[in-house]
Amino acid sequence: MPAERIREHAAPPLQAAAARRRLRADRARQLADLLRHQARTTGFPGGVLPLEGRIGADYGVSRNTVRQALDLLRTEGLVERQPGVGTVLVAEKYPHGLDRLQGLAETLREHGEVTNEVRTAGPVSAPAPVARRLGLPEHADVLCVERLRRLGGLPLSLDLTYIPMDIGAGLLTCDLEHNDVFRLIERLSGQPLGTADITLEAVNADAHSAAVLEAPRGAAVLMLERLTHLRDGRPVDLEFIRFRGDRITMSGLLHRSP
């Protein structure tokens, strides 16, 4: 069942052609949002989208609007046109929940194995903002770990992590390639993690990040900044995680305060 019909109204007689094109672009964007949602949730049988005419009838839009919406999804890398088949899904976005504190492997365990390529792991002098957020003296040593994380062999995220050395020293002897850092921190600290402060924003991939993530330079990536605390409130893990936006979707359940 289509999520919601999009109504198109005839443009007023005096409206300029540019305004009409802008209106169609708005309709195409709205349709692309609905099709993207459908692909992410209920999906399409066999990964094949309905014919353009059927989509237009279901959502109450013109064929030109449907084509423009599909072009938007094609640009995102979500679909492509296959001769003799039609428009098919070619990329899967994996759900990353924001309402539970979990490591990436825990979050995506139903979708395959997360593997880690450790690019950097060693003590560094903490930059002032890092020391401040971890509650450490200025210039205190911290463990800095950078990992490229893959799902199904495809690059998913580039994680930069800072951890106080009383825990980080132990991490250097652990298997960072096959374990979430969260589980290791809990084991080494002897207590569970409690809460995390998070910030999520879109940033342009720098040359280094783009190359490592195998993404176009300047492509938008999702940046998750997360400061994680032990249950007793001590901050122990400051992360800057760059996700490929075409391979991850963030979701959560929010409650309105009374």
Side-chain angles (χ1 to χ4, degrees), residues 28-86:
R29 171 175 45 79
Q30 295 163 13
L31 176 58
D33 289 344
L34 296 176
L35 293 175
R36 189 186 307 105
H37 171 80
Q38 192 171 350
R40 188 177 69 243
T41 53
T42 58
F44 296 99
V48 181
L49 277 67
L51 296 176
E52 293 175 357
R54 176 60 186 273
I55 294 176
D58 284 346
Y59 289 92
V61 297
S62 69
R63 180 163 292 189
N64 283 340
T65 297
V66 173
R67 289 172 179 168
Q68 197 167 343
L70 294 178
D71 282 342
L72 292 174
L73 298 180
R74 192 176 299 112
T75 301
E76 294 176 14
L78 182 62
V79 303
E80 70 178 22
R81 183 79 177 175
Q82 292 186 359
V85 179

Side-chain angles (χ1 to χ4, degrees), residues 71-104:
D71 282 342
L72 292 174
L73 298 180
R74 192 176 299 112
T75 301
E76 294 176 14
L78 182 62
V79 303
E80 70 178 22
R81 183 79 177 175
Q82 292 186 359
V85 179
T87 302
V88 300
L89 297 174
V90 293
E92 181 177 2
K93 285 198 171 187
Y94 301 100
H96 188 297
L98 292 177
D99 46 8
R100 296 188 65 186
L101 183 55
Q102 293 182 315
L104 192 64

